[in-house]
Amino acid sequence: MRGLQTPEGIGLLAEVTARGVDDDTLLGTLATLRARFPEPLVAAAVTQVRLRHRAEAKFGADAAAMFFTADGMEQATRQSVAAHRARRYADAGVDRVLDLCCGVGGDLIALGRAGLSVHGVDRDELTVEVARANVAALGLGERAGVEQADVTDVDLAGWPAAFCDPARRAGGRRVFDPRSYSPPFRFLEQVAAAIPFSGAKVAPGIPHDQVPPGAEAEWVSDGGEVKEAALWFGPFATTTRRATLLPAGETLVDQGLGRPPTGAPGQFLYEPDGAVVRAHLVAEVAAIVGGRLVDPTIAYVTADRYVDTAFARAYEIAEVLPFSRKRLQQVLRARGVGRVTVKKRGSAVDTEALRRALRLDGAAEATVILTRVAGAPTALVGTPVPRGQQ
């Protein structure tokens, strides 16, 4: 790691990047550079460039200047989500944040860029070195410092705000049970009890019954894909459940609604965003569109009129039929459909196998939604409604 931060290492990283590390260029890159640089340094540079390429999905252009470990890159908060969380701290009026289990610095960087002074802590020596390198590379050295320590030994007194990102990977594999986080899940509650404005990153699949009483659970999607979840404590906890959709930042909160009614499919079908589904806020979407569920166990909402909402993708439904591949094929061919998108909830059908078996050749496009209606396997044929259409 330190070797890559020297002038020689920086030059080597630039050359590896220029030569390429994909399957077609890697052997040539290694052969050329090993003749001029120590083999361990070349191996480290190749690994780092590969990690930077993978990290572009999370960090965008910043990835080209950053350093990573494999586990650190996997667990790091993506840039858009970290910026969203940092705004919550900035909007709360705090000026200092303690970033516990800071990892390679995803949240550390976002908090610093939000204008806050932030102190990161991590127990792993290499991870701390990487976080320090990232803070320096992105020009945040005056706002963000990093300390190597066990977070459970850190003095929490006097800090106005904290964020904790416990390790959810062990032996290269993800840990899904919050009780197996490192540090243990109960440590998050200890931080919340000691520091007024506290938050913690958790797995998106956290069971609702494991959310501590009084905490707010927030699920975040980015570009329609659920990316992360967080728990918020103290003054941050203004609701019980929240779904936030990036990049626009629309937020839907628990309104204490009961289960929506169930009824037959109407002219429009709404597919709630994954963060809405994870947050158990489908009833709130049904209320927005004046709709009902097609099945009491499925997160599809139907309505007889179109209502524009950021929290669900809408489809105008043209056909509703009991699921049968042969019957579906007949309907699609009769409508001149040649290109089809197959979506499903509550269906065991292999969508790729179905798409191949349909053997369509028309010019039109359609979306087929496989689900259950009142418990019965059903196919709905329709087209997406563009956002903003009235």
Side-chain angles (χ1 to χ4, degrees):
M1 175 63 194
R2 290 190 178 92
L4 295 178
Q5 295 177 271
T6 64
E8 180 185 44
I10 293 170
L12 176 58
L13 282 168
E15 189 167 351
V16 170
T17 301
R19 289 181 177 276
V21 291
D22 57 26
D23 292 341
D24 295 330
T25 61
L26 179 58
L27 290 179
T29 297
L30 290 172
T32 300
L33 297 179
R34 283 171 176 168
R36 295 165 40 214
F37 297 93
E39 185 170 338
L41 188 62
V42 172
V46 167
T47 297
Q48 202 55 237
V49 170
R50 284 186 153 182
L51 287 171
R52 285 177 171 181
H53 287 170
R54 290 169 56 194
E56 287 176 2
K58 286 189 173 184
F59 291 93
D62 283 347
M66 295 175 67
F67 294 88
F68 300 95
T69 64
D71 280 351
M73 191 274 294
E74 290 292 339
Q75 182 158 321
T77 301
R78 69 174 42 236
Q79 192 174 66
S80 58
V81 180
H84 160 68
R85 287 204 290 253
R87 284 193 294 272
R88 291 195 72 162
Y89 284 93
D91 291 346
V94 299
D95 59 352
R96 296 183 302 127
V97 181
L98 180 62
D99 186 358
L100 300 166
C101 306
C102 67
V104 299
D107 288 289
L108 196 73
I109 292 164
L111 290 164
R113 283 177 168 168
L116 305 172
S117 295
V118 55
H119 182 72
V121 182
D122 202 283
R123 69 181 178 183
D124 181 74
E125 181 179 3
L126 176 58
T127 299
V128 168
E129 190 174 342
V130 169
R132 287 172 177 162
N134 289 336
V135 166
L138 298 177
L140 294 167
E142 293 185 1
R143 288 199 173 276
V146 188
E147 170 190 2
Q148 182 186 356
D150 188 319
V151 295
T152 61
D153 294 332
V154 172
D155 184 4
L156 305 179
W159 283 95
F163 187 78
C164 185
D165 183 1
R168 296 175 306 284
R169 301 184 70 88
R173 296 184 178 182
R174 291 182 181 179
V175 172
F176 296 98
D177 186 347
R179 292 169 296 186
S180 299
Y181 288 178
S182 179
F185 193 68
R186 62 180 180 275
F187 175 71
L188 305 182
E189 296 176 275
Q190 294 172 7
V191 173
I195 299 177
F197 290 91
S198 295
K201 182 175 172 180
V202 293
I206 182 173
H208 282 233
D209 62 6
Q210 292 189 19
V211 174
E216 173 187 311
E218 179 186 31
W219 284 264
V220 179
S221 67
D222 192 358
E225 296 184 13
V226 179
K227 296 301 182 183
E228 295 189 10
L231 299 180
W232 300 100
F233 302 88
F236 277 141
T238 59
T239 185
T240 56
R241 289 170 282 123
R242 179 188 301 270
T244 298
L245 282 54
L246 301 177
E250 289 98 340
T251 290
L252 186 65
V253 300
D254 174 30
Q255 297 172 22
L257 304 179
R259 181 181 293 274
T262 302
Q267 184 179 356
F268 296 95
L269 187 81
Y270 294 85
E271 178 185 30
D273 183 271
V276 171
V277 176
R278 291 289 185 109
H280 294 183
L281 296 176
V282 175
E284 280 68 16
V285 169
I288 290 171
V289 303
R292 56 197 178 270
L293 300 178
V294 297
D295 185 279
T297 64
I298 305 296
Y300 278 137
V301 175
T302 188
D304 303 312
R305 63 187 180 93
Y306 175 69
V307 176
D308 186 42
T309 175
F311 301 110
R313 182 73 183 273
Y315 300 86
E316 187 167 11
I317 302 303
E319 302 272 359
V320 179
L321 58 149
F323 176 71
S324 159
R325 182 181 63 79
K326 183 177 181 180
R327 175 61 179 146
L328 178 60
Q329 184 182 58
Q330 291 172 344
V331 167
L332 293 172
R333 286 182 173 178
R335 301 181 69 86
V337 173
R339 295 179 300 279
V340 64
T341 299
V342 182
K343 307 177 74 67
K344 69 174 185 177
R345 279 182 181 170
S347 171
V349 174
D350 184 327
T351 57
E352 290 303 318
L354 174 63
R355 196 196 320 272
R356 292 192 298 269
L358 289 173
R359 299 194 302 276
L360 304 172
D361 58 5
E365 298 184 31
T367 299
V368 172
I369 300 167
L370 306 178
T371 188
R372 295 193 303 270
V373 173
T378 304
L380 296 88
V381 180
T383 53
V385 180
R387 282 292 314 278
Q389 177 174 311
Q390 299 298 323

